[in-house]
Amino acid sequence: MTTGVRPGGPPQDPRPDGDRQLPRQERVGPPPPHVDNRTRSAVITARAAASFEPVGRSVATARSFVRDTLQGWGFADIVDDAVVLTSELVTNAVVHAGTAADVLCLRSDDGVRVEVADHYPEREIPVQTSAVSMGSPDREGGRGLQLCAALARRWGVEYTPTHKKVWFQLDLPERPVGTRSAGPTLPAELLPLADTRVRVAVVQIDRNASVTAWNEDAEDLFGYPADQVTGKPLIDLAAWPQTPGTGTGIAEALQLSRWEGSYGIRCADGRVAPVYASHLRVRDTAGEPSTVCLLVRDHERAVLQTPLRTTSSDTATAQEGQTTDPFEVFIGSPAPDDLDGLLQRTVERARDMLDGDAAFLLLATDDETELEVRASTGLPSARQRFARVPVEAGPGRYGSARMPAVHDDLTAVPGAVPLLSGTGMRSVVTVPLKVEGRLTGSLGVAAESPSRYSNEEALRLQFAADRIALAVESARLGELERLRRGSLSFLVEASDLLAGTLDRDQTLALMAQMTIPTLATWCAVYTIADQSSETYLSYVLHEDEERIDGLKALLSQIPPPEPILTPGARVWTQPAEAAHRAALRTSMRSLGLGEPPSISSGIGTTLATASAVGGETVVLPLVARNRVIGMLTLGKPTDEHFRQEILELAEDLSRRAALALDNARLYSERTAISQSLQRSLLPPELPTVEGVEVDVIYRAAGEGNEVGGDFYDLFPIRDGAYGFAIGDVCGTGPEAAAVTGLARHALRLLAREGFGGPAVLERLNSAILDEGARSRFLTLLYGELWPQEDGSALLKVVCAGHPLPLRLRQDGTVEPAAEPQPLLGVMEDLELYEQTVTLDPGDVLLCVTDGVTERREGTRMLGDDGLADVLTTCTGLTAGAVAARIMRAVERFASDAPSDDMAILAMRVPGLPQD
């Protein structure tokens, strides 16, 4: 991968020489309407390039490369679109075209251009005589160019004799900076009220987002001394809203020239303090950039907040009788360019217009059956944000959000406006937001005193709602589209991660880590092994690692959610109720009204856990193959709610995660069964042979295999006599395993019946042939061992098509210890004979399978001679040391993992003791 940065200068063509237009690329006929052939005149300020091999995993690697590159350039607004398009185009190159893919990202002053090229010289250059039909969007493949046409401002296809290149251009959205303005002179009683001395925290952040300066007001507001936070990233302290596909992250906000808005700071005592911030990007005399952050408490935002711009020219225009936009009259100019800013400006203006104490705005869900709280002022917004209320709350016109309504006293009609329950508001006026007769939201203003509003105020508010309804709906649809694009990218990466493992525990961890903090603050995964098993809490994760233990302990004390097959998220109230009870007990103990707190669970831990779990909790079933295999539980901290789009995204994720988890379960079960059956084919522990050292090393090729086609055995025949065998069955799989089991057990049975070596192998040959089509030919070295009183060992061996055993004498010479004879499972009539070998004290007999001698590195092979050379260096070693040295030599002979099973059986007669 190569990256480089070019400072501004004369325009340059960023394409390599091989990608320039050639005469062969001239098209016949008019170009298709979707191809833009205009020359690029923008100055290229940075480039990043990478090449990816023609393998499936390269698609995910290419997505990560483009995402990291664009985020590094500060272009988070277009990352999702670029990742989706790159994924499609790289898939076409490495999967469908079967070639390497070259990805080039080019940054200019007006956007980003991404080029994806494949190497397919056999493809003919198309002759374009008519518009190209890109097919139906419902097709399984071929959607790359359709996505380019839908998402990119410009795109095109270029051919050379060696490459086909598809490129697309994404423009950056404009980011307006703040404007200066001055307000009128106000009487003292109308000035903003501050309850204590106003403290302005001044924090300076370097280019790596780390704190370099922290003033005294910052220490007072957040509780951290300067030496404790200096050098730490501000991201660790900021509680930034995490909504995929929308808004700007803290890292991106620190890169902007100017930024202003609200977020939270995690204080030293564990609470999150809402602040209003103003960021200014500066550089010192050496040219080093940094960001100066001014922070005040959120309710004192008037100290920093840029007031609305109202110039004298606007007043003059109105006095001259010229018409002005009613939307700008209500919202002000400039209007916020994001939905959250527009909604917050709306509720603030509505509250001020009717001189209310609070205001709120709700947006309708897609099916118009519920309203979701999206902005409020004068209310506990953290508790109310994304809370949902039904459109039809009761009978009559005042129970429906589709009509204006005025309530003089809410205490006389409890529950008439659920959003205001427990807030102290007495009177309220609500009006609908409608676009083309369709309900899109509701706007309300409330006051603490009764009978504050009349029909006249309702008409004024309805007039304002009619002016902003279209703008709000347009902004909502834009946010929804960005969220869906972000969700698509999120699900693509989630599917790749889940498909990349068949380990159950790793699947559980991935499932939880993908949801935190993107979808929720904390997550718990419950699993159900089978229909008769109890629900088990398998995994718990919180965005703050210090909360995990307390959260797990709390969830372990309450019954798990009921496994229900019905899809969709359902609210689960027990965690919040248990958290509130635990917090109450802790508070009572701290006041001396109950049992003293235990040493293991302090007051702070219990209260922090209660705060972390006290918000909305939802449960999504994990359904795979029409069976509930678990539940995915997502939670928010105290009084927070989930938005509908997040729940829909979580539901999509739960379906993918359930299938991945069930696949991991099936794989684990089958692996356990396979390994159990394979272990049954291996002999039990080797017996101790008096006067002879014996050691075995066995390696089965293939992931998850404990036994392959090779096998070995050593067993007592009768007093003072032992049988030994090492063999190799042709092929792999269940058929080879069946022959392995047949051979090992038949050898033991026949040898203990008193048959000699040739008779044993001849009867085994008949048994293998009786298997018919399931039979496999077998190479086998079988022998009988008799330790002698003089310290030697007598062996009688039969080598049926197997690599010959090697004898290592004490003087270092190596020689074959048997002669080759026909293998088993091929011919019916075999005439085998046995050979007698005497191992003197200090001699070693080495028996191996062909996986050892046929070890390859390119065109080289270890072979019988190479094995003999290694064995000559083993003089004086024990049987175990000989086997280990042979295995090390085989492993070092080639760098690749062994492709064949290997078995090594070493027997050594110890030398005579010295006088």
Side-chain angles (χ1 to χ4, degrees):
M1 182 185 304
T2 58
T3 58
V5 179
R6 293 184 178 180
Q12 301 179 23
D13 189 345
R15 295 173 296 180
D17 295 338
D19 290 346
R20 299 184 185 278
Q21 291 286 78
L22 299 174
R24 182 180 173 182
Q25 294 179 281
E26 296 178 359
R27 293 183 174 89
V28 179
H34 60 276
V35 177
D36 189 345
N37 288 325
R38 291 173 295 174
T39 58
R40 290 166 288 165
S41 59
V43 176
I44 303 302
T45 58
R47 69 169 64 210
S51 296
F52 303 94
E53 297 297 325
V55 292
R57 63 178 180 271
S58 294
V59 180
T61 308
R63 285 198 296 266
S64 300
F65 162 69
V66 173
R67 179 181 296 278
D68 294 343
T69 299
L70 268 59
Q71 287 181 343
W73 289 346
F75 294 162
D77 296 324
I78 60 174
V79 163
D80 292 327
D81 286 350
V83 167
V84 170
L85 293 178
T86 303
S87 178
E88 288 289 335
L89 298 180
V90 174
T91 299
N92 291 341
V94 303
V95 176
H96 302 302
T99 74
D102 300 329
V103 180
L104 175 64
C105 300
L106 302 172
R107 183 183 71 183
S108 62
D109 51 2
D110 59 348
V112 170
R113 174 182 170 119
V114 178
E115 301 177 353
V116 179
D118 63 30
H119 304 264
Y120 199 174
E122 292 85 359
R123 182 176 302 173
E124 296 180 356
I125 300 176
V127 178
Q128 199 82 42
T129 57
S130 60
V132 175
S133 174
M134 290 183 287
S136 169
D138 297 328
R139 292 173 52 196
E140 180 66 22
R143 295 192 297 264
L145 299 185
Q146 291 179 339
L147 284 175
C148 288
L151 301 180
R153 184 179 70 85
R154 296 170 54 200
W155 67 279
V157 182
E158 298 178 5
Y159 284 87
T160 71
T162 58
H163 292 75
K164 179 182 75 70
K165 181 195 314 178
V166 181
W167 60 269
F168 59 87
Q169 176 92 21
L170 296 175
D171 291 344
L172 297 176
E174 295 185 3
R175 294 169 176 167
V177 290
T179 56
R180 297 181 179 180
S181 63
T185 303
L186 296 177
E189 60 272 11
L190 297 181
L191 296 176
L193 180 63
D195 52 357
T196 59
R197 182 177 71 83
V198 177
R199 289 179 172 83
V200 180
V202 180
V203 182
Q204 192 156 3
I205 312 299
D206 62 14
R207 67 163 62 241
N208 298 319
S210 299
V211 176
T212 59
W214 185 269
N215 71 341
E216 294 182 358
D217 281 356
E219 295 183 10
D220 293 338
L221 287 175
F222 310 125
Y224 299 105
D227 57 354
Q228 186 175 347
V229 296
T230 301
K232 291 187 176 181
L234 181 64
I235 300 174
D236 293 348
L237 302 177
W240 195 268
Q242 297 288 342
T243 302
T246 61
T248 304
I250 179 66
E252 291 79 9
L254 293 173
Q255 298 297 321
L256 299 178
S257 61
R258 182 181 296 274
W259 185 91
E260 189 174 316
S262 300
Y263 51 90
I265 295 293
R266 294 184 177 90
C267 300
D269 58 4
R271 63 185 179 87
V272 176
V275 298
Y276 192 84
S278 176
H279 298 173
L280 179 64
R281 189 78 165 160
V282 299
R283 61 173 178 165
D284 57 19
T285 54
E288 184 68 17
S290 62
T291 302
V292 178
C293 305
L294 305 181
L295 312 174
V296 298
R297 289 175 293 186
D298 192 60
H299 65 275
E300 296 174 345
R301 63 170 56 197
V303 176
L304 299 179
Q305 189 173 25
T306 303
L308 303 179
R309 180 175 60 185
T310 53
T311 61
S312 57
S313 60
D314 297 334
T315 306
T317 302
Q319 292 176 350
E320 293 174 1
Q322 297 182 7
T323 60
T324 57
D325 185 359
F327 173 79
E328 290 193 0
V329 171
F330 181 70
I331 293 297
S333 180
D337 59 351
D338 62 303
L339 178 61
D340 289 336
L342 176 61
L343 299 183
Q344 191 62 36
R345 180 82 63 85
T346 298
V347 295
E348 291 173 356
R349 289 318 258 325
R351 179 198 59 186
D352 297 341
M353 183 179 70
L354 297 188
D355 193 22
D357 298 311
F360 52 89
L361 192 148
L362 303 87
L363 295 182
T365 56
D366 291 339
D367 57 4
E368 298 182 15
T369 60
E370 288 185 313
L371 295 170
E372 190 176 61
V373 180
R374 292 299 304 270
S376 63
T377 181
L379 296 174
S381 57
R383 175 172 67 89
Q384 302 295 346
R385 186 169 171 80
F386 300 124
R388 290 174 293 279
V389 297
V391 171
E392 307 292 343
R397 62 168 295 184
Y398 295 109
S400 174
R402 302 181 187 278
M403 300 292 292
V406 177
H407 293 276
D408 292 331
D409 194 349
L410 293 177
T411 59
V413 191
V417 183
L419 182 64
L420 301 179
S421 299
T423 62
M425 300 297 164
R426 298 281 298 276
S427 57
V428 61
V429 53
T430 61
V431 296
L433 277 69
K434 294 185 177 181
V435 175
E436 297 180 352
R438 182 173 57 86
L439 179 69
T440 60
S442 178
L443 177 63
V445 178
E448 296 179 352
S449 58
S451 303
R452 173 74 71 86
Y453 304 113
S454 63
N455 290 338
E456 181 180 352
E457 280 81 6
L459 290 175
R460 292 177 58 197
L461 189 61
Q462 184 66 71
F463 180 81
D466 293 341
R467 303 284 78 75
I468 65 168
L470 185 59
V472 168
E473 179 67 4
S474 177
R476 186 187 75 87
L477 293 177
E479 181 199 63
L480 186 61
E481 181 64 22
R482 290 191 299 272
L483 181 62
R484 286 174 177 168
R485 292 179 179 178
S487 301
L488 176 61
S489 178
F490 173 80
L491 290 175
V492 167
E493 295 189 8
S495 299
D496 279 352
L497 290 173
L498 291 172
T501 178
L502 286 173
D503 182 82
R504 175 183 177 277
D505 294 336
Q506 188 174 2
T507 302
L508 289 172
L510 285 174
M511 189 189 315
Q513 291 168 6
M514 285 185 294
T515 61
I516 307 301
T518 304
L519 305 182
T521 304
W522 62 269
C523 166
V525 183
Y526 293 85
T527 56
I528 306 173
D530 51 59
Q531 295 181 354
S532 60
S533 301
E534 297 292 333
T535 303
Y536 177 72
L537 179 62
S538 298
Y539 201 91
V540 176
L541 186 65
H542 193 283
E543 66 177 3
D544 185 352
E545 294 183 357
E546 296 180 357
R547 303 283 183 262
I548 295 178
D549 292 338
L551 175 60
K552 187 174 183 179
L554 180 68
L555 293 177
S556 300
Q557 297 173 3
I558 61 177
E562 188 70 20
I564 298 177
L565 189 60
T566 305
R570 70 180 191 274
V571 177
W572 187 31
T573 59
Q574 291 192 27
E577 294 171 356
H580 292 318
R581 289 195 299 267
L584 179 60
R585 289 194 301 268
T586 302
S587 300
M588 293 179 65
R589 286 197 299 266
S590 67
L591 296 174
L593 302 178
E595 298 178 359
S598 63
I599 299 177
S600 60
S601 59
I603 295 176
T605 301
T606 304
L607 294 178
T609 302
S611 175
V613 188
E616 186 176 54
T617 302
V618 296
V619 178
L620 298 103
L622 298 174
V623 180
R625 298 174 175 90
N626 205 32
R627 185 175 72 87
V628 180
I629 63 172
M631 283 83 68
L632 176 63
T633 304
L634 305 178
K636 288 282 191 178
T638 301
D639 294 332
E640 288 195 18
H641 297 268
F642 288 95
R643 61 184 304 176
Q644 187 64 32
E645 292 82 1
I646 294 298
L647 293 180
E648 293 173 358
L649 180 58
E651 186 176 354
D652 284 340
L653 176 64
S654 68
R655 287 195 292 267
R656 290 165 168 80
L659 187 59
L661 184 61
D662 199 47
N663 289 339
R665 177 188 63 83
L666 294 174
Y667 178 77
S668 299
E669 291 179 356
R670 293 182 180 181
T671 301
I673 294 173
S674 174
Q675 291 176 349
S676 177
L677 292 175
Q678 290 183 68
R679 283 192 294 269
S680 69
L681 300 177
L682 291 175
E685 295 182 358
L686 296 178
T688 301
V689 180
E690 186 70 25
V692 178
E693 299 174 0
V694 181
D695 204 341
V696 173
I697 295 180
Y698 185 83
R699 296 285 189 272
E703 183 179 357
N705 290 335
E706 293 190 13
V707 176
D710 295 2
F711 70 95
Y712 66 92
D713 202 356
L714 177 66
F715 54 91
I717 300 176
R718 50 191 173 271
D719 293 341
Y722 296 87
F724 66 91
I726 184 169
D728 185 1
V729 178
C730 173
T732 58
E735 293 83 1
V739 176
T740 299
L742 172 64
R744 196 174 69 81
H745 293 295
L747 286 174
R748 288 193 172 216
L749 179 62
L750 294 171
R752 287 171 177 172
E753 288 294 324
F755 292 99
V760 168
L761 269 61
E762 289 169 1
R763 284 163 174 76
L764 176 59
N765 180 64
S766 299
I768 294 174
L769 292 175
D770 288 343
E771 292 293 310
R774 297 180 300 176
S775 66
R776 293 288 187 273
F777 65 79
L778 167 66
T779 68
L780 179 63
L781 172 66
Y782 173 74
E784 295 179 356
L785 169 67
W786 285 275
Q788 303 297 308
E789 294 181 357
D790 61 356
S792 63
L794 180 65
L795 292 87
K796 294 183 178 180
V797 297
V798 180
C799 187
H802 198 78
L804 299 179
L806 297 179
R807 176 182 180 179
L808 171 65
R809 294 186 181 275
Q810 199 166 9
D811 59 2
T813 60
V814 175
E815 60 185 5
E819 296 177 355
Q821 300 184 59
L823 75 167
L824 307 183
V826 178
M827 298 181 294
E828 293 185 0
D829 298 327
L830 288 181
E831 293 184 2
L832 303 175
Y833 58 91
E834 63 184 6
Q835 297 173 272
T836 302
V837 180
T838 300
L839 294 182
D840 297 325
D843 288 355
V844 175
L845 185 71
L846 178 66
C847 310
V848 300
T849 58
D850 60 5
V852 173
T853 56
E854 294 180 1
R855 177 73 162 150
R856 295 179 180 275
E857 173 71 14
T859 59
R860 298 186 307 121
M861 186 172 71
L862 180 63
D864 296 333
D865 294 339
L867 179 62
D869 292 339
V870 178
L871 185 59
T872 57
T873 66
C874 298
T875 304
L877 299 181
T878 64
V882 170
R885 177 169 293 185
I886 297 298
M887 180 57 72
R888 283 197 302 272
V890 172
E891 291 175 342
R892 293 173 179 173
F893 186 79
S895 58
D896 296 337
S899 59
D900 195 4
D901 308 323
M902 293 186 293
I904 301 174
L905 172 62
M907 293 183 290
R908 177 178 180 270
V909 178
L912 295 176
Q914 300 292 331
D915 292 335

